[in-house]
Amino acid sequence: MKSRILFIAILFGVAFYAGEPGDEVLLKKAEKLMLLNPKAAFKIADKAYRSNTLDHKETIHSLFILTNTSNLLQNPLDVIRYGNEALKIADNGDDVITKIKILGILGNTYQFLKLNEKTRIYLDQAELLLNSPKIPDSLNLVKGNIYYLKGMNYFYGLDSDIALSYFNKAISQYVNSKNPLAEINIKIAYLNKGYCLINQKKFSEALENLKLASVSPNESSRPYPPQFADLQDVFIELGKARILSAEANPQLSNAMLFDILEKRKNQPYRDDIENDIYELLATNFLQLRDIEKHDYYESLFLKQVDKSNYEAAVWVNKLIAQESLENEKQTTKLNHKYWLLITFFSLILGSVIIFLCFITIRTEQKRRLLKKDVSENI
């Protein structure tokens, strides 16, 4: 799961860098640093946001940088915090493009937390906004990213047919995009389209898409993000090993899997990729009727699944706590406003009552004086 999320993090790290630069110098600097040094970009944008001197456009821009860098730094709670804050103040006018991007990042984050329905809500909103007249045809990259994430959402939901339709939509947008970043994202889309076709046992088509997913530094107009090419190659090989396993060739599949493990033994993100490999090794050894090795690799796989589920549960519990705290703050703030309103209207009502009492007393005094004068004149 996490290794696939890394691909999406890379996608967002490069895909949404093309936003409109703000007028504020700090935000320009932060935007340039988003991919190179997301931690530094976050600090700069945070400083600008806390200054309370930004106009509406710059505030939206700072929140987008905070949301995107939090995504790159894999801090899901910050992504949700800043992303939802941006959505609160964004409108569907000039902010619509940034709004779509943030909805995509939030959808991706909820996918990371394994909250599938929540993911779909945000991505559906983003897809709906793609029809806005504010979205020019030239923004194929943004459209492609939303379609790609929708495809991944259905892919995680084991609905390969719908996933394929969205991957095809994403690829179509990337092909028509003049943005060099599309050269990276189309590779990721071809890769996951290949995996969908493997699930459907359409192996020839799957191999064609895996071939299209392969990367070469010479074919890109700009350098690929760090580790992207290596990870892409690993998943391509893993996809081929899956096909061999499905075609009842577990021995050759295992040879490819052990070769991947050997090549990546000193690489980062190794455990998550290994987990996919352990699952396939367990399947292959079951085909070979080697129950001892099947049980061994299955135990390694299940151990990592339990760890992944536990980590996701921890994040979800933290999210619930964060949302509860935010709700309490909002409730306290709302109650404070109510008390102020009650106090204000009480003061007005009290003033009116005092005024009416004063008028009544004066009127009564005049009436008594008048009655006294009349009595004295009788």
Side-chain angles (χ1 to χ4, degrees):
M1 174 69 77
K2 287 184 182 177
S3 48
R4 292 187 185 278
I5 293 296
L6 174 64
F7 276 101
I8 299 173
I10 289 173
L11 174 89
F12 274 117
V14 298
F16 292 114
Y17 179 61
E20 290 294 329
D23 296 328
E24 218 275 343
V25 175
L26 283 176
L27 295 180
K28 288 182 180 180
K29 183 177 179 181
E31 188 169 22
K32 290 178 181 178
L33 286 172
M34 270 202 296
L35 280 183
L36 299 174
N37 191 339
K39 188 177 290 187
F42 179 92
K43 289 181 179 179
I44 294 170
D46 184 55
K47 181 180 179 181
Y49 179 63
R50 292 176 183 274
S51 69
N52 295 321
T53 60
L54 305 180
D55 59 24
H56 175 78
K57 181 179 179 181
E58 290 167 344
T59 300
I60 289 290
H61 189 199
S62 65
L63 284 169
F64 168 69
I65 294 172
L66 290 170
T67 304
N68 196 34
T69 51
S70 296
N71 179 63
L72 291 169
L73 294 169
Q74 296 186 25
N75 294 327
L77 299 187
D78 282 346
V79 172
I80 292 170
R81 173 189 169 193
Y82 292 115
N84 282 316
E85 187 64 31
L87 293 180
K88 285 179 186 177
I89 64 173
D91 57 40
N92 288 335
D94 293 336
D95 301 330
V96 66
I97 296 173
T98 301
K99 191 172 182 179
I100 291 171
K101 296 173 183 179
I102 289 176
L103 285 167
I105 297 173
L106 286 169
N108 169 61
T109 299
Y110 281 113
Q111 189 73 76
F112 169 77
L113 297 175
K114 302 182 180 181
L115 299 175
N116 210 42
E117 290 304 316
K118 195 84 169 179
T119 299
R120 197 157 295 174
I121 289 171
Y122 281 94
L123 295 181
D124 284 348
Q125 290 181 52
E127 185 178 19
L128 187 63
L129 287 176
L130 291 179
N131 297 320
S132 168
K134 292 284 184 177
I135 305 297
D137 293 335
S138 59
L139 288 180
N140 301 100
L141 186 69
V142 175
K143 296 178 182 178
N145 291 339
I146 297 303
Y147 291 142
Y148 169 79
L149 287 172
K150 289 275 290 187
M152 288 302 296
N153 181 245
Y154 282 104
F155 186 32
Y156 285 127
L158 303 179
D159 195 331
S160 295
D161 286 330
I162 299 180
L164 275 173
S165 69
Y166 274 106
F167 288 141
N168 285 331
K169 285 183 179 180
I171 289 168
S172 177
Q173 294 294 331
Y174 293 146
V175 167
N176 292 322
S177 176
K178 296 180 180 179
N179 193 315
L181 300 174
E183 299 169 3
I184 298 171
N185 298 353
I186 196 170
K187 297 295 184 181
I188 304 172
Y190 276 128
L191 174 72
N192 288 288
K193 181 184 175 183
Y195 271 73
C196 273
L197 291 165
I198 292 172
N199 290 347
Q200 295 185 341
K201 300 187 183 304
K202 298 177 180 178
F203 301 134
S204 295
E205 292 180 53
L207 285 171
E208 289 177 8
N209 280 272
L210 292 178
K211 184 177 180 180
L212 291 169
S214 63
V215 298
S216 170
N218 298 326
E219 66 181 343
S220 177
S221 60
R222 62 184 297 166
Y224 287 122
Q227 303 169 348
F228 167 71
D230 289 340
L231 283 171
Q232 190 82 342
D233 287 342
V234 166
F235 280 110
I236 290 170
E237 291 302 302
L238 182 57
K240 292 176 180 178
R242 287 185 183 279
I243 292 173
L244 288 170
S245 177
E247 291 179 335
N249 194 344
Q251 290 180 324
L252 186 54
S253 176
N254 281 350
M256 294 182 68
L257 295 174
F258 286 125
D259 185 56
I260 295 172
L261 289 175
E262 178 62 26
K263 288 178 180 178
R264 293 196 56 79
K265 62 182 180 182
N266 296 319
Q267 297 295 319
Y269 306 104
R270 175 172 170 256
D271 292 340
D272 302 312
I273 295 172
E274 279 186 353
N275 199 38
D276 289 338
I277 294 174
Y278 293 153
E279 180 184 22
L280 190 53
L281 283 171
T283 300
N284 288 343
F285 280 116
L286 186 61
Q287 286 190 58
L288 294 169
R289 301 182 185 278
D290 191 333
I291 304 303
E292 183 178 352
K293 288 184 178 178
H294 163 267
D295 291 345
Y296 172 72
Y297 285 108
E298 185 178 55
S299 66
L300 291 178
F301 167 68
L302 293 176
K303 182 179 178 180
Q304 284 299 112
V305 168
D306 289 341
K307 181 181 177 182
S308 177
N309 289 338
Y310 174 76
E311 290 174 350
V314 169
W315 280 115
V316 171
N317 287 332
K318 287 181 179 179
L319 175 60
I320 292 171
Q322 176 175 287
E323 291 179 342
S324 297
L325 181 62
E326 185 63 27
N327 288 336
E328 287 179 10
K329 288 180 180 179
Q330 292 297 325
T331 301
T332 302
K333 189 176 180 180
L334 195 60
N335 289 339
H336 181 65
K337 287 182 178 180
Y338 282 145
W339 278 112
L340 287 175
L341 286 172
I342 291 171
T343 302
F344 175 72
F345 284 115
S346 296
L347 289 172
I348 292 177
L349 182 61
S351 299
V352 171
I353 291 172
I354 292 171
F355 176 75
L356 291 175
C357 287
F358 177 76
I359 295 298
T360 302
I361 292 171
R362 288 298 299 272
T363 302
E364 180 63 22
Q365 287 176 342
K366 288 181 179 180
R367 189 188 67 79
R368 287 179 180 178
L369 286 172
L370 183 60
K371 183 179 180 180
K372 182 178 179 182
D373 290 340
V374 171
S375 298
E376 290 177 351
N377 293 325
I378 291 177

